[in-house]
Amino acid sequence: EVQLVESGGGLVQPGGSLRLSCVVSGFTFSDPYMDWVRQAPGKGLEWVGRIKNKAQSYTANYAASVEGRFTMSRDDSKNSLYLQMNSLKTDDTAVYYCARDWSTALSSWGQGTLVTVSS
Amino acid sequence: QSALTQPPSASGSPGQSVTISCTGTSSDVGAYSYVSWYQQHPGKAPKLMIYDVNKRPWGVPGRFSGSKSGNTASLTVSGLQAEDEADYYCNSYAGSNNYVFGTGTKVTVL
């Protein structure tokens, strides 16, 4: 069974930092690209970014709204995906989902972790 | 990158069909055959329903279908069932390793 489990969410002040983790099981983690998607309370989905696999040099791409502030990484030996979020703004408040990228679609999703940016 | 445009709501009676549109531009929906659709029930994670415009993942009922014409993609749910009541989001590749979601449509089964 494919499982993705996010953690690391919580309350952080504006300008602060937070690191999210996503541990996966049920598939060969090193193969697929992986994405982060977020959803502000009561709002729609927003693509955050994607990190490719080792064959593609772990290249990461980001949405313009987080470029320069967020950094994606992965540790294939730990079946883990990470999202380092710096210079957080109140607009970054959202549930953050990790997802497996498959044929340009997101085939499996975690249950999400809530990040609240507030003073 | 602006969000793709979807109608806020759509509805139908059980057994009827409902079609949701997803309008983008010649730089995203119109440029690539990489449109996917996701279903999201309240408090749950999204679920992939359609990928590459019109392909269904294993396990998704055949009454879900997708299509595209120009800059607009569509999702049709035929034979509506109570469990189809959910929010639906389209997504498209937008070039330069970027993706964009639609604004979302709430489907109500009357």
Side-chain angles (χ1 to χ4, degrees), chain A residues 3-46:
Chain A
Q3 282 194 319
L4 297 87
V5 181
E6 303 94 337
S7 62
L11 176 63
V12 60
Q13 292 188 337
S17 298
L18 209 57
R19 187 195 196 206
L20 306 184
S21 300
C22 171
V23 178
V24 313
S25 59
F27 63 94
T28 304
F29 177 71
S30 58
D31 286 345
Y33 301 170
M34 296 293 296
D35 293 54
W36 286 97
V37 175
R38 68 183 181 182
Q39 186 170 34
K43 303 298 183 181
L45 301 174
E46 180 186 14

mmCIF file of all heavy atoms in Angstrom, chain A residues 3-46:
data_model
loop_
_atom_site.group_PDB
_atom_site.id
_atom_site.type_symbol
_atom_site.label_atom_id
_atom_site.label_comp_id
_atom_site.label_asym_id
_atom_site.label_seq_id
_atom_site.Cartn_x
_atom_site.Cartn_y
_atom_site.Cartn_z
ATOM 1 N N GLN A 3 1.868 4.854 0.859
ATOM 2 C CA GLN A 3 1.581 5.801 1.939
ATOM 3 C C GLN A 3 2.563 6.963 1.895
ATOM 4 O O GLN A 3 3.761 6.758 1.657
ATOM 5 C CB GLN A 3 1.675 5.112 3.303
ATOM 6 C CG GLN A 3 0.475 4.254 3.664
ATOM 7 C CD GLN A 3 0.439 3.878 5.132
ATOM 8 O OE1 GLN A 3 1.469 3.565 5.713
ATOM 9 N NE2 GLN A 3 -0.738 3.916 5.732
ATOM 10 N N LEU A 4 2.049 8.156 2.111
ATOM 11 C CA LEU A 4 2.864 9.358 2.234
ATOM 12 C C LEU A 4 2.401 10.044 3.519
ATOM 13 O O LEU A 4 1.201 10.291 3.694
ATOM 14 C CB LEU A 4 2.680 10.291 1.046
ATOM 15 C CG LEU A 4 3.100 9.770 -0.333
ATOM 16 C CD1 LEU A 4 1.973 8.997 -0.993
ATOM 17 C CD2 LEU A 4 3.536 10.924 -1.240
ATOM 18 N N VAL A 5 3.343 10.337 4.400
ATOM 19 C CA VAL A 5 3.008 10.918 5.687
ATOM 20 C C VAL A 5 3.838 12.172 5.921
ATOM 21 O O VAL A 5 5.059 12.102 6.067
ATOM 22 C CB VAL A 5 3.235 9.925 6.844
ATOM 23 C CG1 VAL A 5 2.858 10.573 8.166
ATOM 24 C CG2 VAL A 5 2.429 8.644 6.626
ATOM 25 N N GLU A 6 3.134 13.305 5.950
ATOM 26 C CA GLU A 6 3.792 14.590 6.187
ATOM 27 C C GLU A 6 3.868 14.888 7.678
ATOM 28 O O GLU A 6 3.025 14.433 8.461
ATOM 29 C CB GLU A 6 3.031 15.739 5.501
ATOM 30 C CG GLU A 6 2.846 15.595 4.011
ATOM 31 C CD GLU A 6 1.521 14.957 3.650
ATOM 32 O OE1 GLU A 6 0.960 14.243 4.500
ATOM 33 O OE2 GLU A 6 1.041 15.166 2.519
ATOM 34 N N SER A 7 4.862 15.666 8.048
ATOM 35 C CA SER A 7 5.006 16.121 9.427
ATOM 36 C C SER A 7 5.793 17.423 9.429
ATOM 37 O O SER A 7 6.360 17.823 8.406
ATOM 38 C CB SER A 7 5.716 15.067 10.277
ATOM 39 O OG SER A 7 7.028 14.843 9.791
ATOM 40 N N GLY A 8 5.812 18.063 10.593
ATOM 41 C CA GLY A 8 6.610 19.271 10.743
ATOM 42 C C GLY A 8 5.826 20.563 10.736
ATOM 43 O O GLY A 8 6.393 21.641 10.940
ATOM 44 N N GLY A 9 4.531 20.474 10.492
ATOM 45 C CA GLY A 9 3.726 21.694 10.492
ATOM 46 C C GLY A 9 3.563 22.260 11.889
ATOM 47 O O GLY A 9 3.896 21.613 12.890
ATOM 48 N N GLY A 10 3.057 23.472 11.952
ATOM 49 C CA GLY A 10 2.842 24.108 13.248
ATOM 50 C C GLY A 10 2.683 25.600 13.104
ATOM 51 O O GLY A 10 2.519 26.125 11.997
ATOM 52 N N LEU A 11 2.734 26.288 14.239
ATOM 53 C CA LEU A 11 2.584 27.742 14.285
ATOM 54 C C LEU A 11 3.965 28.402 14.249
ATOM 55 O O LEU A 11 4.856 28.038 15.014
ATOM 56 C CB LEU A 11 1.847 28.147 15.556
ATOM 57 C CG LEU A 11 1.684 29.641 15.824
ATOM 58 C CD1 LEU A 11 0.846 30.301 14.734
ATOM 59 C CD2 LEU A 11 1.068 29.860 17.210
ATOM 60 N N VAL A 12 4.130 29.364 13.368
ATOM 61 C CA VAL A 12 5.397 30.081 13.245
ATOM 62 C C VAL A 12 5.094 31.550 13.000
ATOM 63 O O VAL A 12 4.077 31.893 12.382
ATOM 64 C CB VAL A 12 6.262 29.487 12.109
ATOM 65 C CG1 VAL A 12 5.543 29.577 10.767
ATOM 66 C CG2 VAL A 12 7.632 30.123 12.044
ATOM 67 N N GLN A 13 5.958 32.398 13.482
ATOM 68 C CA GLN A 13 5.766 33.838 13.300
ATOM 69 C C GLN A 13 6.187 34.277 11.904
ATOM 70 O O GLN A 13 7.053 33.638 11.277
ATOM 71 C CB GLN A 13 6.573 34.602 14.347
ATOM 72 C CG GLN A 13 6.070 34.442 15.779
ATOM 73 C CD GLN A 13 6.770 35.367 16.754
ATOM 74 O OE1 GLN A 13 7.895 35.815 16.496
ATOM 75 N NE2 GLN A 13 6.116 35.671 17.870
ATOM 76 N N PRO A 14 5.613 35.357 11.422
ATOM 77 C CA PRO A 14 6.058 35.907 10.124
ATOM 78 C C PRO A 14 7.553 36.163 10.145
ATOM 79 O O PRO A 14 8.105 36.660 11.137
ATOM 80 C CB PRO A 14 5.263 37.208 10.006
ATOM 81 C CG PRO A 14 4.028 36.962 10.810
ATOM 82 C CD PRO A 14 4.469 36.119 11.969
ATOM 83 N N GLY A 15 8.204 35.783 9.039
ATOM 84 C CA GLY A 15 9.651 35.915 8.939
ATOM 85 C C GLY A 15 10.398 34.696 9.428
ATOM 86 O O GLY A 15 11.619 34.580 9.219
ATOM 87 N N GLY A 16 9.698 33.767 10.053
ATOM 88 C CA GLY A 16 10.319 32.575 10.597
ATOM 89 C C GLY A 16 10.522 31.483 9.569
ATOM 90 O O GLY A 16 10.234 31.645 8.373
ATOM 91 N N SER A 17 11.033 30.344 10.063
ATOM 92 C CA SER A 17 11.338 29.211 9.196
ATOM 93 C C SER A 17 10.690 27.949 9.742
ATOM 94 O O SER A 17 10.404 27.842 10.941
ATOM 95 C CB SER A 17 12.851 29.002 9.103
ATOM 96 O OG SER A 17 13.494 30.123 8.530
ATOM 97 N N LEU A 18 10.500 27.006 8.852
ATOM 98 C CA LEU A 18 9.925 25.713 9.211
ATOM 99 C C LEU A 18 10.379 24.692 8.190
ATOM 100 O O LEU A 18 10.564 25.023 7.011
ATOM 101 C CB LEU A 18 8.400 25.800 9.216
ATOM 102 C CG LEU A 18 7.599 24.889 10.150
ATOM 103 C CD1 LEU A 18 8.017 25.089 11.603
ATOM 104 C CD2 LEU A 18 6.105 25.174 9.987
ATOM 105 N N ARG A 19 10.580 23.451 8.627
ATOM 106 C CA ARG A 19 10.960 22.386 7.713
ATOM 107 C C ARG A 19 9.937 21.271 7.771
ATOM 108 O O ARG A 19 9.718 20.699 8.847
ATOM 109 C CB ARG A 19 12.336 21.835 8.070
ATOM 110 C CG ARG A 19 12.882 20.835 7.059
ATOM 111 C CD ARG A 19 14.049 20.060 7.629
ATOM 112 N NE ARG A 19 14.830 19.377 6.598
ATOM 113 C CZ ARG A 19 15.554 18.281 6.827
ATOM 114 N NH1 ARG A 19 15.581 17.750 8.031
ATOM 115 N NH2 ARG A 19 16.248 17.732 5.853
ATOM 116 N N LEU A 20 9.337 20.986 6.645
ATOM 117 C CA LEU A 20 8.371 19.901 6.542
ATOM 118 C C LEU A 20 9.052 18.640 6.033
ATOM 119 O O LEU A 20 9.992 18.717 5.249
ATOM 120 C CB LEU A 20 7.225 20.275 5.591
ATOM 121 C CG LEU A 20 6.482 21.577 5.882
ATOM 122 C CD1 LEU A 20 5.323 21.739 4.893
ATOM 123 C CD2 LEU A 20 5.989 21.632 7.310
ATOM 124 N N SER A 21 8.535 17.514 6.491
ATOM 125 C CA SER A 21 9.040 16.215 6.031
ATOM 126 C C SER A 21 7.900 15.387 5.484
ATOM 127 O O SER A 21 6.740 15.562 5.867
ATOM 128 C CB SER A 21 9.708 15.452 7.184
ATOM 129 O OG SER A 21 10.798 16.156 7.716
ATOM 130 N N CYS A 22 8.237 14.479 4.598
ATOM 131 C CA CYS A 22 7.258 13.557 4.020
ATOM 132 C C CYS A 22 7.960 12.210 3.890
ATOM 133 O O CYS A 22 8.925 12.089 3.126
ATOM 134 C CB CYS A 22 6.775 14.065 2.676
ATOM 135 S SG CYS A 22 5.747 12.893 1.737
ATOM 136 N N VAL A 23 7.482 11.229 4.642
ATOM 137 C CA VAL A 23 8.057 9.887 4.574
ATOM 138 C C VAL A 23 7.115 9.002 3.771
ATOM 139 O O VAL A 23 5.904 9.000 4.009
ATOM 140 C CB VAL A 23 8.258 9.293 5.983
ATOM 141 C CG1 VAL A 23 8.820 7.883 5.890
ATOM 142 C CG2 VAL A 23 9.185 10.182 6.798
ATOM 143 N N VAL A 24 7.674 8.271 2.821
ATOM 144 C CA VAL A 24 6.829 7.466 1.938
ATOM 145 C C VAL A 24 7.141 5.985 2.066
ATOM 146 O O VAL A 24 8.237 5.595 2.470
ATOM 147 C CB VAL A 24 6.979 7.928 0.469
ATOM 148 C CG1 VAL A 24 6.895 9.429 0.364
ATOM 149 C CG2 VAL A 24 8.270 7.424 -0.123
ATOM 150 N N SER A 25 6.183 5.171 1.708
ATOM 151 C CA SER A 25 6.345 3.717 1.681
ATOM 152 C C SER A 25 5.413 3.160 0.623
ATOM 153 O O SER A 25 4.476 3.831 0.184
ATOM 154 C CB SER A 25 6.036 3.115 3.045
ATOM 155 O OG SER A 25 4.720 3.411 3.436
ATOM 156 N N GLY A 26 5.708 1.926 0.203
ATOM 157 C CA GLY A 26 4.835 1.268 -0.757
ATOM 158 C C GLY A 26 5.252 1.407 -2.202
ATOM 159 O O GLY A 26 4.604 0.854 -3.095
ATOM 160 N N PHE A 27 6.294 2.183 -2.472
ATOM 161 C CA PHE A 27 6.822 2.278 -3.820
ATOM 162 C C PHE A 27 8.301 2.652 -3.726
ATOM 163 O O PHE A 27 8.795 3.071 -2.685
ATOM 164 C CB PHE A 27 6.052 3.288 -4.678
ATOM 165 C CG PHE A 27 6.117 4.726 -4.199
ATOM 166 C CD1 PHE A 27 7.077 5.600 -4.693
ATOM 167 C CD2 PHE A 27 5.193 5.209 -3.278
ATOM 168 C CE1 PHE A 27 7.126 6.923 -4.275
ATOM 169 C CE2 PHE A 27 5.233 6.526 -2.861
ATOM 170 C CZ PHE A 27 6.202 7.390 -3.345
ATOM 171 N N THR A 28 9.003 2.490 -4.829
ATOM 172 C CA THR A 28 10.432 2.808 -4.869
ATOM 173 C C THR A 28 10.600 4.308 -4.916
ATOM 174 O O THR A 28 10.456 4.934 -5.962
ATOM 175 C CB THR A 28 11.096 2.144 -6.090
ATOM 176 O OG1 THR A 28 10.854 0.727 -6.046
ATOM 177 C CG2 THR A 28 12.600 2.400 -6.082
ATOM 178 N N PHE A 29 10.904 4.892 -3.772
ATOM 179 C CA PHE A 29 10.911 6.347 -3.621
ATOM 180 C C PHE A 29 11.904 7.026 -4.552
ATOM 181 O O PHE A 29 11.667 8.134 -5.031
ATOM 182 C CB PHE A 29 11.234 6.713 -2.177
ATOM 183 C CG PHE A 29 11.334 8.199 -1.932
ATOM 184 C CD1 PHE A 29 10.209 8.998 -1.945
ATOM 185 C CD2 PHE A 29 12.569 8.788 -1.692
ATOM 186 C CE1 PHE A 29 10.294 10.363 -1.729
ATOM 187 C CE2 PHE A 29 12.671 10.157 -1.473
ATOM 188 C CZ PHE A 29 11.531 10.947 -1.485
ATOM 189 N N SER A 30 13.014 6.372 -4.843
ATOM 190 C CA SER A 30 14.069 7.024 -5.623
ATOM 191 C C SER A 30 13.688 7.254 -7.086
ATOM 192 O O SER A 30 14.325 8.051 -7.770
ATOM 193 C CB SER A 30 15.352 6.193 -5.562
ATOM 194 O OG SER A 30 15.120 4.890 -6.052
ATOM 195 N N ASP A 31 12.657 6.571 -7.563
ATOM 196 C CA ASP A 31 12.320 6.669 -8.984
ATOM 197 C C ASP A 31 11.554 7.933 -9.377
ATOM 198 O O ASP A 31 11.952 8.648 -10.312
ATOM 199 C CB ASP A 31 11.501 5.441 -9.426
ATOM 200 C CG ASP A 31 12.353 4.189 -9.538
ATOM 201 O OD1 ASP A 31 13.607 4.319 -9.555
ATOM 202 O OD2 ASP A 31 11.776 3.085 -9.602
ATOM 203 N N PRO A 32 10.439 8.209 -8.742
ATOM 204 C CA PRO A 32 9.601 9.302 -9.254
ATOM 205 C C PRO A 32 10.046 10.688 -8.816
ATOM 206 O O PRO A 32 10.770 10.866 -7.838
ATOM 207 C CB PRO A 32 8.231 8.983 -8.646
ATOM 208 C CG PRO A 32 8.565 8.333 -7.346
ATOM 209 C CD PRO A 32 9.832 7.542 -7.585
ATOM 210 N N TYR A 33 9.582 11.674 -9.571
ATOM 211 C CA TYR A 33 9.663 13.040 -9.098
ATOM 212 C C TYR A 33 8.648 13.176 -7.966
ATOM 213 O O TYR A 33 7.686 12.408 -7.863
ATOM 214 C CB TYR A 33 9.300 14.019 -10.211
ATOM 215 C CG TYR A 33 10.151 13.953 -11.468
ATOM 216 C CD1 TYR A 33 9.768 14.656 -12.613
ATOM 217 C CD2 TYR A 33 11.330 13.210 -11.536
ATOM 218 C CE1 TYR A 33 10.524 14.626 -13.775
ATOM 219 C CE2 TYR A 33 12.093 13.168 -12.694
ATOM 220 C CZ TYR A 33 11.683 13.868 -13.813
ATOM 221 O OH TYR A 33 12.425 13.822 -14.964
ATOM 222 N N MET A 34 8.863 14.172 -7.117
ATOM 223 C CA MET A 34 7.967 14.415 -5.995
ATOM 224 C C MET A 34 7.593 15.894 -5.943
ATOM 225 O O MET A 34 8.405 16.761 -6.270
ATOM 226 C CB MET A 34 8.623 14.003 -4.675
ATOM 227 C CG MET A 34 8.938 12.515 -4.543
ATOM 228 S SD MET A 34 7.476 11.473 -4.464
ATOM 229 C CE MET A 34 6.709 12.021 -2.933
ATOM 230 N N ASP A 35 6.363 16.158 -5.516
ATOM 231 C CA ASP A 35 5.845 17.524 -5.497
ATOM 232 C C ASP A 35 5.330 17.908 -4.117
ATOM 233 O O ASP A 35 4.975 17.042 -3.309
ATOM 234 C CB ASP A 35 4.683 17.668 -6.491
ATOM 235 C CG ASP A 35 5.096 17.525 -7.935
ATOM 236 O OD1 ASP A 35 5.717 16.495 -8.265
ATOM 237 O OD2 ASP A 35 4.800 18.425 -8.750
ATOM 238 N N TRP A 36 5.249 19.205 -3.911
ATOM 239 C CA TRP A 36 4.523 19.770 -2.775
ATOM 240 C C TRP A 36 3.391 20.634 -3.350
ATOM 241 O O TRP A 36 3.592 21.393 -4.304
ATOM 242 C CB TRP A 36 5.426 20.626 -1.896
ATOM 243 C CG TRP A 36 6.392 19.848 -1.052
ATOM 244 C CD1 TRP A 36 7.699 19.592 -1.335
ATOM 245 C CD2 TRP A 36 6.133 19.255 0.227
ATOM 246 N NE1 TRP A 36 8.272 18.856 -0.321
ATOM 247 C CE2 TRP A 36 7.334 18.634 0.653
ATOM 248 C CE3 TRP A 36 5.009 19.178 1.056
ATOM 249 C CZ2 TRP A 36 7.450 17.959 1.862
ATOM 250 C CZ3 TRP A 36 5.129 18.501 2.262
ATOM 251 C CH2 TRP A 36 6.329 17.893 2.659
ATOM 252 N N VAL A 37 2.239 20.504 -2.735
ATOM 253 C CA VAL A 37 1.054 21.290 -3.095
ATOM 254 C C VAL A 37 0.476 21.831 -1.796
ATOM 255 O O VAL A 37 0.490 21.136 -0.774
ATOM 256 C CB VAL A 37 0.005 20.421 -3.823
ATOM 257 C CG1 VAL A 37 -1.268 21.213 -4.088
ATOM 258 C CG2 VAL A 37 0.572 19.865 -5.122
ATOM 259 N N ARG A 38 -0.038 23.040 -1.803
ATOM 260 C CA ARG A 38 -0.623 23.590 -0.577
ATOM 261 C C ARG A 38 -2.042 24.073 -0.817
ATOM 262 O O ARG A 38 -2.456 24.300 -1.965
ATOM 263 C CB ARG A 38 0.240 24.719 -0.026
ATOM 264 C CG ARG A 38 0.280 25.970 -0.881
ATOM 265 C CD ARG A 38 1.243 26.993 -0.269
ATOM 266 N NE ARG A 38 1.306 28.229 -1.042
ATOM 267 C CZ ARG A 38 2.102 29.251 -0.730
ATOM 268 N NH1 ARG A 38 2.913 29.172 0.322
ATOM 269 N NH2 ARG A 38 2.088 30.344 -1.481
ATOM 270 N N GLN A 39 -2.756 24.211 0.284
ATOM 271 C CA GLN A 39 -4.151 24.655 0.213
ATOM 272 C C GLN A 39 -4.440 25.535 1.418
ATOM 273 O O GLN A 39 -4.486 25.061 2.552
ATOM 274 C CB GLN A 39 -5.092 23.446 0.198
ATOM 275 C CG GLN A 39 -6.546 23.778 -0.018
ATOM 276 C CD GLN A 39 -7.381 22.543 -0.273
ATOM 277 O OE1 GLN A 39 -7.135 21.471 0.270
ATOM 278 N NE2 GLN A 39 -8.398 22.673 -1.127
ATOM 279 N N ALA A 40 -4.607 26.828 1.154
ATOM 280 C CA ALA A 40 -4.952 27.766 2.217
ATOM 281 C C ALA A 40 -6.353 27.436 2.733
ATOM 282 O O ALA A 40 -7.174 26.879 1.996
ATOM 283 C CB ALA A 40 -4.885 29.192 1.698
ATOM 284 N N PRO A 41 -6.641 27.764 3.980
ATOM 285 C CA PRO A 41 -7.952 27.437 4.562
ATOM 286 C C PRO A 41 -9.111 27.938 3.708
ATOM 287 O O PRO A 41 -9.185 29.121 3.388
ATOM 288 C CB PRO A 41 -7.909 28.140 5.914
ATOM 289 C CG PRO A 41 -6.464 28.207 6.260
ATOM 290 C CD PRO A 41 -5.751 28.422 4.955
ATOM 291 N N GLY A 42 -9.977 27.021 3.300
ATOM 292 C CA GLY A 42 -11.137 27.384 2.504
ATOM 293 C C GLY A 42 -10.846 27.761 1.062
ATOM 294 O O GLY A 42 -11.753 28.225 0.360
ATOM 295 N N LYS A 43 -9.618 27.566 0.624
ATOM 296 C CA LYS A 43 -9.215 27.965 -0.731
ATOM 297 C C LYS A 43 -8.863 26.756 -1.587
ATOM 298 O O LYS A 43 -8.980 25.616 -1.153
ATOM 299 C CB LYS A 43 -8.019 28.925 -0.646
ATOM 300 C CG LYS A 43 -8.270 30.171 0.178
ATOM 301 C CD LYS A 43 -9.385 31.036 -0.403
ATOM 302 C CE LYS A 43 -9.563 32.320 0.390
ATOM 303 N NZ LYS A 43 -10.670 33.154 -0.163
ATOM 304 N N GLY A 44 -8.423 27.037 -2.806
ATOM 305 C CA GLY A 44 -8.095 25.977 -3.740
ATOM 306 C C GLY A 44 -6.659 25.475 -3.602
ATOM 307 O O GLY A 44 -5.892 25.928 -2.752
ATOM 308 N N LEU A 45 -6.330 24.536 -4.467
ATOM 309 C CA LEU A 45 -4.994 23.949 -4.462
ATOM 310 C C LEU A 45 -4.003 24.870 -5.179
ATOM 311 O O LEU A 45 -4.343 25.514 -6.173
ATOM 312 C CB LEU A 45 -5.016 22.592 -5.168
ATOM 313 C CG LEU A 45 -5.944 21.530 -4.582
ATOM 314 C CD1 LEU A 45 -5.972 20.296 -5.480
ATOM 315 C CD2 LEU A 45 -5.522 21.161 -3.174
ATOM 316 N N GLU A 46 -2.783 24.903 -4.675
ATOM 317 C CA GLU A 46 -1.711 25.670 -5.302
ATOM 318 C C GLU A 46 -0.464 24.807 -5.388
ATOM 319 O O GLU A 46 0.028 24.306 -4.372
ATOM 320 C CB GLU A 46 -1.400 26.955 -4.524
ATOM 321 C CG GLU A 46 -0.283 27.781 -5.157
ATOM 322 C CD GLU A 46 0.145 28.974 -4.322
ATOM 323 O OE1 GLU A 46 -0.217 29.042 -3.135
ATOM 324 O OE2 GLU A 46 0.866 29.838 -4.862
#
